[in-house]
Amino acid sequence: MADSKSPRHRAGGGGVSPGGDLLGAGDGGGPPGDDGRGDEESAAPSRRPGGRALVSLGVAAAVAAAAVGAVVMHHDSRSPGRGTASTPVQTVAVVRTDLSSSQSLSGTLGFGKPVTVKGAGTGTVTQLPAQGENVSRGRPLLRVDDHPVMLFYGSTPLFRPLDRRGLVGRDVAMVAANLKALGYDIGAQPSVGSTIRQADAPAAGSGSATSGTDGSGPGHGSGSGSGASSAPGAGSGSGPASATAGTTAPPGDGPPAAPPASPTTVVVRRGDGVLTSSLMAALKRFQRTFGLPATGTLSPGDVVVLPGRVRVSGVQAALGDPAAEPLMSVTLADKTVTVPADPDAVSSIKENDRVVVTLPDSSTTPGHVATVSATVQEQGSAGGGSGDDSGNAPQQNVSVALDRPADVRNLDSAPVQVEFTGKVEKGVLAVPVGALLALSGGGYAVQLRSGTLVAVRLGMFAKGLVEITGTGITAGTRVVTAA
């Protein structure tokens, strides 16, 4: 072990003693090139910019040699550390605290980007909402041919008639979710992976597809094809009209009759719903509530599907206009915060993450992440930006819902700051980042007030602090830090 009175440890050719001390190259000689000019000149330590001592290659070798545990390297008590007698070192206590990887991003408070509502099918607009009106799930948004067009919540529009028992798809799941949310008993839905037997659509001119599909369908409108009135079961709901309509035509008189519909099978996938008899019965009860024909079926023009409760921001159509035209523009009824962010920043943001929103008057209100857009677009193309002038950098929109909407009742639109809290480490030991010493051979150490270097492992970095663990490091331990 090196003489405790030695004014410094020599770099190069050293090793680690059983006690962990850094050894010199030998007792009687210095490293190659040592001219033996004495302690006064050789004791001057190599310095970092800002007065921080560089750790020698010998120190790095000592750390690497002690991979089983933390390496503690003792400086001579007379060896200068990061400061001298005329420039005392600055120390700070190791603290036990909670760290979180949070980020603050600019956003805009408002009702969100307006969406244009367009009708479907034929018909004439007979009633429209007023600008500023709020409409919720299961309530009429407008009337076409004096029939109410209802608002349903969801992300999948009704893109086809739901008119046959056994239809499978996300549009069916949307209808089932809305009826259930409105308090209707829809019965049990088949599980994912179930095989559903369904009939093909009836041939053209063979009658309504709704008649008799599950023994309880409405009989109205069936048998519209020629000769259907004399076909067995026509309009009675006892069997598919498509199997009999037109079969009484004599041979050679016109085209041959359409063959009976053949059943097919469909496998239920994740996110699918199934149009069961119970679901159709629930739909009939819903229709009766609003004075609609209780058919148990739906067509695309019967409902409008939007993400949630909406506020009518503008009306474009007039009474008497065709329904299949742009009718109105709507936004979400509840104010939200839209945050455009770089994809790298979005990667750590998840739905339902807690956030804190800072309003223009510096007050704060809590919220949570409602949605994270899966679309990456150029800045400014989606509206609702934060005023950032970063050019056309790709960004994703994050929508934040407010937990206390009353906090912003006097604001329709405003720039805000949103603090997203990511990973949280509770009760860890931490020091300022300036207390770390990078070892030339890799890794880091902290220097105690006595001059001892202690190798440490690093954890989370947050707000100028870094989580550390090392031998003998506890809350209250004083370590040297950069001024």
Side-chain angles (χ1 to χ4, degrees):
M1 183 175 297
D3 187 352
S4 62
K5 296 182 180 180
S6 173
R8 72 180 183 100
H9 297 300
R10 299 182 183 273
V16 180
S17 73
D21 293 325
L22 183 66
L23 299 181
D27 291 335
D34 185 5
D35 58 6
R37 284 179 288 178
D39 294 340
E40 180 177 351
E41 180 178 348
S42 61
S46 177
R47 308 287 294 179
R48 291 185 184 183
R52 301 183 65 184
L54 292 176
V55 181
S56 69
L57 290 173
V59 174
V63 174
V68 175
V71 178
V72 180
M73 296 164 288
H74 298 286
H75 278 204
D76 185 275
S77 61
R78 295 181 298 171
S79 176
R82 300 187 191 182
T84 65
S86 59
T87 57
V89 296
Q90 180 178 346
T91 64
V92 65
V94 177
V95 296
R96 188 172 295 279
T97 186
D98 298 340
L99 297 180
S100 64
S101 55
S102 61
Q103 55 181 331
S104 183
L105 300 174
S106 298
T108 301
L109 171 71
F111 289 104
K113 183 181 179 181
V115 174
T116 300
V117 176
K118 183 179 179 180
T122 60
T124 301
V125 176
T126 54
Q127 186 177 9
L128 288 163
Q131 184 172 344
E133 183 177 342
N134 290 342
V135 183
S136 57
R137 187 202 313 260
R139 305 301 301 176
L141 184 61
L142 71 154
R143 296 179 77 94
V144 174
D145 292 344
D146 207 28
H147 290 295
V149 178
M150 318 304 290
L151 173 62
F152 276 4
Y153 296 171
S155 57
T156 302
L158 194 59
F159 57 87
R160 57 178 174 172
L162 301 184
D163 54 9
R164 290 178 293 125
R165 182 173 58 86
L167 286 177
V168 178
R170 295 178 182 271
D171 51 347
V172 181
M174 178 273 299
V175 172
N178 278 273
L179 291 177
K180 185 175 181 179
L182 289 168
Y184 293 90
D185 181 7
I186 65 171
Q189 281 281 293
S191 59
V192 174
S194 300
T195 300
I196 305 301
R197 185 182 179 88
Q198 59 181 201
D200 289 337
S206 63
S208 169
T210 64
S211 60
T213 55
D214 64 350
S216 61
H220 71 279
S222 62
S224 60
S226 61
S229 60
S230 61
S236 65
S238 60
S242 61
T244 57
T247 58
T248 57
D253 186 9
S262 59
T264 59
T265 58
V266 179
V267 176
V268 179
R269 299 171 299 179
R270 188 175 301 278
D272 283 345
V274 180
L275 192 59
T276 62
S277 297
S278 297
L279 181 55
M280 297 179 78
L283 186 53
K284 288 181 182 180
R285 294 192 294 274
F286 170 76
Q287 290 167 330
R288 291 191 191 102
T289 301
F290 292 93
L292 294 167
T295 62
T297 66
L298 277 181
S299 295
D302 295 337
V303 298
V304 173
V305 182
L306 293 168
R309 190 168 70 99
V310 296
R311 173 181 178 270
V312 179
S313 58
V315 179
Q316 288 80 49
L319 299 181
D321 283 352
E325 298 289 341
L327 304 173
M328 66 190 79
S329 56
V330 300
T331 64
L332 291 177
D334 296 323
K335 296 168 190 172
T336 60
V337 176
T338 302
V339 181
D342 296 335
D344 286 345
V346 172
S347 63
S348 63
I349 299 174
K350 304 292 185 294
E351 289 188 8
N352 297 318
D353 281 356
R354 308 305 305 174
V355 304
V356 175
V357 179
T358 302
L359 302 175
D361 62 358
S362 298
S363 65
T364 60
T365 186
H368 63 276
V369 176
T371 59
V372 178
S373 172
T375 302
V376 178
Q377 53 198 344
E378 289 187 353
Q379 161 104 27
S381 62
S386 60
D388 184 14
D389 58 356
S390 57
N392 293 324
Q395 293 187 324
Q396 291 174 257
N397 279 342
V398 178
S399 179
V400 171
L402 301 177
D403 296 342
R404 298 200 304 252
D407 290 350
V408 295
R409 62 180 176 274
N410 296 324
L411 294 173
D412 283 345
S413 180
V416 297
Q417 286 294 122
V418 182
E419 184 173 356
F420 296 85
T421 300
K423 182 180 178 183
V424 177
E425 295 289 352
K426 292 184 175 293
V428 299
L429 297 174
V431 295
V433 174
L436 295 179
L437 284 169
L439 302 177
S440 59
Y444 292 87
V446 293
Q447 183 179 4
L448 306 184
R449 183 163 51 181
S450 64
T452 301
L453 294 180
V454 180
V456 294
R457 293 181 298 277
L458 308 185
M460 177 182 290
F461 286 78
K463 297 183 178 179
L465 298 177
V466 57
E467 176 189 354
I468 63 169
T469 54
T471 301
I473 299 295
T474 61
T477 300
R478 307 283 311 181
V479 297
V480 178
T481 186

